[in-house]
Amino acid sequence: MRIRPGIELAGLSDVGCLRPNNEDSYSYWEPLRSEQFRQTGRLAIVADGMGGHKGGQEASRIAVETVKKVYADGSGDNPRDKLVAGFHAAHQHIILYGQKHPLLQGLGTTCTAIVLVGKALYFAHIGDSRLYLLRDSRIQRLTQDHSYVGRLLDHGVIGAAEAAVHPYRNILLKALGVGEEIDPDSPEQPVPLQNDDVLLLCTDGLWSVVSEDEMCGIVASGTLSQACQALVDKAKEHGGPDNITLQLLRIVK
């Protein structure tokens, strides 16, 4: 895979310690033609599927493939609009797939996708996978969890320690393939980035068991590839109850 100058990239997915199969998916894409690259930039996606009989695995795969195809083939100059269009298309494709495969009824997936055009960050998000920005030894979460416990936490009803063990922490309020319509989060304006900023996309198999301080320290301690492996190892050290998937992108000169 060709990666143009401007970023460093690493990604990793692991089944974890308890799950029988991996229902996460992730991908990175950039166009072959330089003219298209200048307009569309780079795309990175993570998705965490749900549903029995391998439904989650199929849902996350469909989400990643559809968002990538719609973004790559989309017309217009606005990356945000193409990302959101990809989410809506993925939602419909997952619903149709479930209708054609009755054993997979109820399948769905989270999805967090970013686009980098130069140093401008666009993103779209639904579910409880996350996007973090690491800058100057600090970490900032850019996405909001669309989950029951996430809503309680955001409104100050419970604290982080209680959220980590809450019996309803896995209940999602939004996901691709669930419900008739979706409304993904996607800021109107891009987030400006700086040299040495690191973006972390990850599923809840990482952030639910590895603290933000641990993430920040691990990313700062080695190469991005080493950090990916160390983060997966840390999640498994903490029990690895879910699939663990992440991508790291560093802005370089």
Side-chain angles (χ1 to χ4, degrees):
M1 176 178 62
R2 178 186 180 188
I3 301 175
R4 288 176 173 84
I7 67 162
E8 296 172 358
L9 171 71
L12 190 61
S13 187
D14 191 280
V15 71
C17 299
L18 300 181
R19 295 294 180 91
N21 63 305
N22 194 340
E23 296 187 332
D24 291 353
S25 297
Y26 76 103
S27 185
Y28 172 85
W29 172 86
E30 61 182 62
L32 293 176
R33 293 188 295 109
S34 295
E35 181 180 351
Q36 185 183 8
F37 175 74
R38 286 191 291 270
Q39 182 179 10
T40 63
R42 321 166 190 270
L43 171 70
I45 316 168
V46 298
D48 179 358
M50 57 189 183
H53 299 281
K54 296 187 178 180
Q57 184 176 336
E58 291 302 306
S60 67
R61 176 189 61 80
I62 293 168
V64 167
E65 291 179 356
T66 303
V67 171
K68 183 163 58 173
K69 178 173 175 52
V70 170
Y71 187 80
D73 295 345
S75 59
D77 297 330
N78 192 318
R80 176 186 180 272
D81 290 347
K82 291 189 286 186
L83 267 182
V84 172
F87 273 56
H88 283 282
H91 179 65
Q92 294 302 321
H93 287 180
I94 293 167
I95 289 173
L96 289 174
Y97 191 89
Q99 292 171 349
K100 292 178 181 178
H101 300 82
L103 289 177
L104 303 184
Q105 286 287 346
L107 78 167
T109 185
T110 72
C111 190
T112 301
I114 68 167
V115 167
L116 289 176
V117 182
K119 293 179 182 176
L121 167 67
Y122 301 83
F123 67 89
H125 161 75
I126 192 165
D128 66 353
S129 296
R130 289 182 176 180
L131 169 62
Y132 291 95
L133 169 62
L134 293 87
R135 174 183 292 169
D136 297 331
S137 302
R138 293 189 296 271
I139 185 168
Q140 176 188 2
R141 177 157 58 103
L142 300 183
T143 52
Q144 182 180 40
D145 295 340
H146 299 139
S147 66
Y148 175 74
V149 168
R151 179 170 292 180
L152 296 179
L153 186 61
D154 291 338
H155 285 81
V157 177
I158 62 175
E162 187 177 355
V165 296
H166 198 286
Y168 299 144
R169 62 188 179 276
N170 295 322
I171 296 178
L172 293 180
L173 301 179
K174 293 182 182 181
L176 296 181
V178 178
E180 294 184 3
E181 301 291 337
I182 59 163
D183 181 24
D185 292 347
S186 187
E188 293 281 349
Q189 299 299 321
V191 178
L193 299 178
Q194 305 172 7
N195 287 337
D196 295 323
D197 282 352
V198 176
L199 299 168
L200 166 61
L201 298 91
C202 64
T203 60
D204 66 339
L206 179 69
W207 66 256
S208 66
V209 293
V210 179
S211 72
E212 293 183 358
D213 285 344
E214 286 177 313
M215 291 186 216
C216 200
I218 288 171
V219 170
S221 64
T223 68
L224 295 191
S225 294
Q226 291 169 337
C228 280
Q229 187 62 62
L231 286 166
V232 166
D233 291 345
K234 181 62 69 173
K236 294 171 79 170
E237 180 184 316
H238 291 326
D242 202 349
N243 307 144
I244 310 152
T245 299
L246 68 149
Q247 290 198 80
L248 289 166
L249 300 90
R250 176 180 281 119
I251 308 300
V252 296
K253 295 180 181 179

